[in-house]
Amino acid sequence: MSSMRYDTPLHLQPPGHTPISSLPLRSQLSHGLRDMGRSSLSSARNFGLVGAIFSGTECCIEGLRAKNDMSNGVAAGCITGAGLAARAGGPSGAAVGCAGFAAFSAAIDGWMRMEEKEDGGRID
């Protein structure tokens, strides 16, 4: 969280650097908003990358299988989760990433494929 980065006991300031809490309010807000913008852009890029990997993988699997069912999303989720987690966690991280992303994909795909009631709600 961006707001927790500054002026904490564990945050080391460079020598001669003015702590943010001693700046005027306008400067504090400007500094915080600039940092929040950078963090938001970074998060957006990461989200876009994950979405592109998942969508591309699901599209390839659907084209190879020539079917449109939940198995495509689950397999794409497993491949995406394993690929993203393998870099940081090795084989065990890949297994957990595969299971987690596949389960999430199955839950979302299952919810999206539920039939709708005539009054606009979802049938359980």
Side-chain angles (χ1 to χ4, degrees):
M1 183 187 266
S2 286
S3 63
M4 298 300 289
R5 287 190 207 174
Y6 312 112
D7 295 340
T8 62
L10 299 177
H11 182 73
L12 300 175
Q13 296 286 341
H17 188 268
T18 307
I20 293 173
S21 60
S22 65
L23 296 174
L25 179 62
R26 186 178 206 111
S27 297
Q28 289 180 27
L29 290 173
S30 174
H31 187 74
L33 289 173
R34 261 194 319 263
D35 186 56
M36 198 169 30
R38 282 191 298 268
S39 296
S40 297
L41 185 59
S42 175
S43 294
R45 282 188 196 131
N46 289 336
F47 186 76
L49 178 65
V50 170
I53 292 170
F54 176 80
S55 297
T57 306
E58 185 179 28
C59 192
C60 289
I61 292 171
E62 188 173 326
L64 288 171
R65 294 184 66 230
K67 290 182 181 178
N68 183 359
D69 58 8
M70 280 184 59
S71 299
N72 297 336
V74 172
C78 179
I79 292 168
T80 303
L84 294 173
R87 243 181 20 190
S92 62
V96 171
C98 171
F101 214 115
F104 181 72
S105 297
I108 296 298
D109 209 6
W111 183 75
M112 293 295 289
R113 291 177 184 269
M114 286 183 356
E115 295 180 29
E116 290 190 21
K117 294 180 188 176
E118 288 186 26
D119 64 359
R122 299 244 180 218
I123 298 173
D124 293 333

